Amino acid sequence: MESTLRSMILSLRSFLQNSSRRCTMLKDADPAYFAGIYIVCGYTDLRYGIDSLAAIIERRYHMNLFVPNTLFLFCGMSATKIKGLLWEGDGLLLLYKRMESGHFTWPRSSADLKSMSAEQFHWLMQGFAIKPVIHDVTPQSSS
């Protein structure tokens, strides 16, 4: 039991980008640690546990859940809470984050599974939208 706990602590340490005294997990996570980061758009029932969330990934999206260090993120009706599911090679890790102030900007318009870049992950953890609202345009004329 003690060796399992020690192994889990070492795994969580490697999961964090820096070793500050205040562990904030996802906020401090180094996106380079993840083989892939996916966001489940729309709403997910956050009462679901590991098995139900894993079934969503495998059955609805036909994704291989067992790729080491692949993070899947879910959000419920309230944008103040998210869950993450991470395969670490020896088991699934269920992450849960509840914002005390503010909320996540979550894409609600579809039930798609979208891949996120490291930059988008950072934006999401900082409370920004992951899809830029300012787009490049090419005007037809100057007037």
Side-chain angles (χ1 to χ4, degrees):
M1 183 71 160
E2 187 175 315
S3 66
T4 304
L5 182 59
R6 187 174 295 128
S7 173
M8 184 198 260
I9 290 169
L10 291 174
S11 178
L12 287 173
R13 281 187 186 155
S14 69
F15 174 69
L16 297 176
Q17 180 178 11
N18 61 32
S19 57
S20 64
R21 290 177 60 160
R22 186 173 152 258
C23 176
T24 54
M25 297 297 288
L26 285 174
K27 185 177 177 184
D28 291 336
D30 180 3
Y33 172 82
F34 304 115
I37 305 170
Y38 297 91
I39 186 169
V40 177
C41 300
Y43 302 96
T44 303
D45 187 342
L46 291 188
R47 294 175 294 180
Y48 290 164
I50 289 176
D51 295 332
S52 298
L53 295 174
I56 289 171
I57 298 303
E58 291 181 316
R59 294 184 187 142
R60 187 183 305 166
Y61 301 112
H62 309 288
M63 290 279 301
N64 181 6
L65 182 66
F66 304 109
V67 176
N69 303 327
T70 299
L71 177 65
F72 295 93
L73 296 170
F74 305 85
C75 187
M77 293 294 272
S78 168
T80 61
K81 301 173 195 141
I82 62 171
K83 279 191 175 181
L85 196 58
L86 178 69
W87 176 254
E88 293 192 303
D90 61 353
L92 286 166
L93 176 64
L94 182 63
L95 305 164
Y96 184 78
K97 180 157 184 146
R98 182 186 72 202
M99 300 295 288
E100 293 298 325
S101 177
H103 65 277
F104 295 99
T105 305
W106 205 264
R108 301 292 193 178
S109 60
S110 70
D112 292 337
L113 179 72
K114 296 188 178 188
S115 178
M116 294 176 63
S117 68
E119 185 177 39
Q120 288 173 315
F121 176 78
H122 181 71
W123 291 341
L124 180 67
M125 293 300 107
Q126 298 300 318
F128 299 110
I130 61 169
K131 186 175 177 184
V133 293
I134 299 173
H135 304 283
D136 291 335
V137 295
T138 305
Q140 299 298 327
S141 67
S142 63
S143 53

